[in-house]
DNA sequence: TTGTAGGCGTTATCAT
DNA sequence: ATGATAACGCCTACAA
């Protein structure tokens, strides 16, 4: 399909000619040519001090603002960078976005952010929309749908994929292997002495990365000969579910159980539920999460979790992209940067230790 | 100052003429005129079925993507909407953004999002930058700096301010009074029987809304003749601070104390710290927050907090703005919508009640 | 319903 | 160092 049709019921909106102040106006007022103004704006030192001053003065007086739209069209590259994330609400992506934006903005790039809501169809549409703004680069989360590859390949701009490694990268891939997260966690809880395992993931039917973490967890333990209870929460109703969850769990001190959650929010809810029920964590039950929220180190007991590097992902993506944009080059070989993750062992899985000890 | 100069070291980047497929190319291939293609893209039903089909076919074959930059420049209005929030990481703003985006995107608008990092100077610069993209509308958080008002007034586009009420609105203001939040909380904890009060706010020197909540809290209690300990946390080091905080607090069962925090994250940390120290909440100490995180109703004890309506803020802003954009009108009278907030009373301040009862 | 002509505000090229 | 001129790709009249 082509582009979407939108109603064009915007009759008024002033006449054709907006009364916007243009570069020509500024040039006329400053008694220089438009080219000189343009040049001044891009590189002030290339203009004689006298005229520079005049131009600056009129800009100040008139409150002139350059029209980037026209500039972008005129053949300079567009200083906009498109970013598509699955969710704006997710704290991980927010951190990455913030980090990216700091760097991009410092170099004069504007971010066009969209969220796909974990929906592949939406993502493809968004790709089209983004491309229609002819961005200088595009940042995607994970893999794009195969159908979208040709479109992206034709765009001729650097494309970064973040938060997940694997598949066929375009130009740059920055992230980590989510299966390894699951495996690392499995290895840890096994080493601690837990012998009954429950993995609770939310929205795993759409959040493929959460799914991969679960898979990695199960794979490691299956190989050891254990069965894992996997509980998939359909939506964000952490809520009732946590009480239900604890009802389903059979605690047995001879075969200590651990609950691994696909994010720290769930894990912390579980911690509270344990408090409510008087279940001792980590001795009667282990609990672990993913994400290392600011809160997680201050919970009681403090939460064992896995910490990705959302800010670094953003920083690296931004830096690389800017290099390619400004040199006008595209890497011949796709670049893959594995940032890994950190398993943060805290009290909530410290089965072998004295869990009562206050942290210092 | 005019606009920022950025190095233009992007020599390569293909020749002047990008090899991008244009509407003319599509027209030629489909054997129609460019304007027919343009018309088709905007309103498919206005073109004869035969040609429509031909055009659609060539678009599919070539993978043509319309260039909105050119369209926007050509005098149609620009389907971009600028949004400036203080932080991308804050869960409140994320929810508002997500809600806004759903509505805007459904109507074909792209969001240009920036975060000011609670910095006024940055905000003014961002305003300039956003204006340079000639957006169809602008969304600000709270009040813009007075210096920025003329710029905004001249822009001639609808401007929405969200999350805070008061001052001189431009066209639309959607939010609530933060002082009232503080007052409502004060009234509640006083009614519960707490008689010693501590307010802990983070980043209040830059987050003026958090400051106002604190002020509202203090004002109400000062009027009752009480003194309030206000603790301002400079940065996000929740962390060590929570332990320090509890060291400073003198608990006295005859004069029960309540801790009110400027956000739920801090409040939940405090809840955990109380567990760690064996302090009984709410009987020995009350705790309240702000924000109503998903987690907050599942903490133990469940957290008393104030719930704003971030999604509604986003939805209303988006809806109103779209109306004005598409009718090409600007409201003559600024519109103010007070969404209020909800005081959610839960266990953590239930001094008079049996706090042991498990929630049902 | 379809085609033609002109212009949107800027930048790049090429003289001067 | 400065200025004239021709794109950039599309949209909106207006004409056919």
């Amino acid at each position: 399909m082509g582009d979407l049709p939108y109603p064009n019921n915007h009759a008024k909106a002033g006449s054709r000619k907006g009364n916007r102040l243009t570069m020509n106006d500024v040039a006329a007022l400053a008694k220089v040519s438009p080219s000189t103004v343009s040049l001044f704006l891009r590189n002030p030192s290339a203009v004689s001090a006298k005229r520079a001053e005049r131009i600056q003065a009129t800009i100040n007086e008139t409150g002139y603002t350059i029209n980037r739209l026209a500039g972008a069209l005129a053949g300079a590259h567009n200083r906009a960078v498109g970013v598509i994330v699955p969710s704006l609400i997710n704290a991980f992506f927010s951190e990455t976005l913030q980090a990216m934006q700091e760097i991009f903005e410092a170099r004069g790039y504007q971010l066009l952010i969209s969220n796909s809501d974990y929906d592949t169809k939406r993502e493809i549409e968004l790709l089209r929309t983004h491309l229609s703004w002819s961005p200088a680069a595009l940042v995607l989360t994970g893999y794009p749908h195969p159908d979208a590859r040709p479109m992206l390949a034709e765009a001729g701009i650097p494309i970064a994929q973040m938060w997940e490694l694997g598949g066929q990268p375009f130009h740059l891939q920055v992230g980590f292997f989510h299966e390894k997260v699951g495996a690392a966690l499995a290895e840890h809880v096994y080493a601690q002495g837990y012998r009954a395992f429950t993995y609770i993931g939310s929205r795993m039917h759409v959040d493929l990365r959460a799914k991969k973490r679960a898979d990695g967890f199960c794979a490691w333990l299956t190989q050891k000969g254990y069965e894992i209870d996997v509980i998939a929460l359909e939506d964000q109703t952490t809520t009732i579910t946590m009480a239900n969850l604890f009802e389903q769990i059979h605690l047995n001190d001879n075969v200590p159980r651990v609950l691994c959650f696909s994010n720290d929010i769930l894990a912390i809810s579980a911690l509270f539920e344990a408090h409510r029920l008087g279940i001792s964590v980590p001795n009667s039950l282990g609990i672990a999460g993913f994400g290392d929220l600011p809160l997680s180190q201050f919970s009681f007991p403090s939460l064992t979790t896995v910490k990705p590097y959302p800010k670094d992902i953003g920083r690296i993506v931004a830096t690389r992209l800017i290099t390619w944009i400004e040199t006008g080059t595209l890497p011949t070989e796709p670049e893959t940067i594995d940032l890994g993750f950190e398993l943060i062992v805290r009290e909530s899985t410290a089965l072998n230790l004295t869990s009562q000890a206050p942290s210092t």
Side-chain angles (χ1 to χ4, degrees), chain A:
Chain A
M1 285 197 292
D3 254 79
L4 294 175
Y6 298 106
N8 54 344
N9 49 345
H10 36 87
K12 323 266 171 61
S15 67
R16 180 79 195 275
K17 162 99 181 152
N19 46 3
R20 178 175 186 148
L21 209 63
T22 76
M23 206 177 257
N24 281 309
D25 300 332
V26 174
L29 287 163
K31 299 185 179 173
V32 296
S33 79
S35 325
T36 307
V37 178
S38 175
L39 187 59
F40 169 77
L41 253 20
R42 278 170 295 145
N43 182 10
S45 61
V47 173
S48 68
K50 201 161 67 178
R51 303 190 189 217
E53 200 178 353
R54 281 217 308 275
I55 295 171
Q56 185 61 68
T58 49
I59 286 175
N60 289 344
E61 286 166 23
T62 57
Y64 166 73
T65 311
I66 195 169
N67 186 341
R68 287 255 145 75
L69 244 30
L73 179 62
H77 68 245
N78 189 358
R79 283 188 177 276
V81 173
V83 188
I84 299 179
V85 290
S87 163
L88 251 25
I89 293 173
N90 187 310
F92 308 142
F93 301 133
S94 298
E95 282 193 62
T96 299
L97 284 173
Q98 185 124 359
M100 284 202 326
Q101 191 165 57
E102 275 170 23
I103 294 178
F104 274 123
E105 258 178 34
R107 299 288 292 182
Y109 293 87
Q110 171 79 68
L111 254 40
L112 309 196
I113 300 172
S114 293
N115 78 299
S116 66
D117 207 21
Y118 291 101
D119 180 336
T120 302
K121 278 192 188 171
R122 245 173 87 77
E123 199 190 6
I124 296 181
E125 280 178 28
L126 286 175
L127 248 19
R128 290 199 82 86
T129 304
H130 274 272
L131 254 19
S132 77
W133 289 103
S134 38
L138 220 43
V139 181
L140 313 178
T141 310
Y143 315 135
H145 191 276
D147 290 357
R149 293 193 72 92
M151 199 171 25
L152 291 169
E154 268 180 63
I157 55 174
I159 292 173
Q161 295 160 263
M162 58 180 189
W163 273 94
E164 189 175 5
L165 260 26
Q168 279 269 323
F170 283 91
H171 307 305
L172 175 65
Q173 210 171 30
V174 183
F176 57 96
F177 290 102
H178 289 252
E179 292 91 342
K180 287 191 187 174
V181 170
L185 205 53
E187 185 176 356
H188 163 69
V189 294
Y190 180 82
Q192 292 299 103
Y194 292 102
R195 290 296 179 269
F197 310 93
T198 306
Y199 194 95
I200 304 95
S202 75
R203 304 194 73 183
M204 291 195 297
H205 55 304
V206 289
D207 185 347
L208 274 16
R209 285 170 289 282
K211 180 73 166 64
K212 285 187 177 175
R213 296 196 291 275
D215 291 344
F217 184 82
C218 295
W220 196 94
L221 288 165
T222 304
Q223 200 173 309
K224 280 277 179 188
Y226 291 90
E227 279 191 14
I228 301 95
D229 296 327
V230 175
I231 299 178
L233 308 181
E234 284 296 305
D235 50 37
Q236 291 293 47
T237 39
T238 313
T239 80
I240 325 275
T241 324
M242 202 53 69
N244 289 349
L245 177 64
F246 275 73
E247 281 175 17
Q248 295 173 35
I249 291 170
H250 307 291
L251 261 31
N252 174 348
D253 279 356
N254 295 325
V255 185
R257 179 172 293 274
V258 64
L259 265 33
C260 292
F261 292 89
S262 71
N263 65 63
D264 279 9
I265 304 266
L266 289 174
I268 287 173
S269 299
L271 240 28
F272 276 125
E273 190 67 22
H275 276 296
R276 175 172 281 126
L277 300 175
I279 296 172
S280 158
V281 176
N283 287 329
S284 301
L285 180 68
I287 290 180
F290 171 79
D292 193 36
L293 292 184
L295 193 55
S296 305
Q297 68 181 296
F298 304 110
S299 65
F300 180 71
S302 60
L303 184 66
T304 291
T305 189
V306 171
K307 178 192 174 68
Y309 301 107
K311 286 181 192 165
D312 290 327
I313 291 177
R315 279 194 276 259
I316 293 176
V317 164
T319 311
R320 279 284 186 295
L321 246 26
I322 287 174
T323 305
W324 290 327
I325 292 169
E326 299 196 342
T327 58
T329 56
L330 249 37
T332 47
E333 283 296 302
E335 190 171 349
T336 295
I337 300 178
D338 186 352
L339 253 32
F341 53 85
E342 187 184 355
L343 173 68
I344 301 185
V345 177
R346 299 209 184 95
E347 297 165 348
S348 68
T349 56
L351 184 57
N352 293 325
L353 310 172
T354 318
S355 66
Q356 312 297 2
S359 68
T360 46

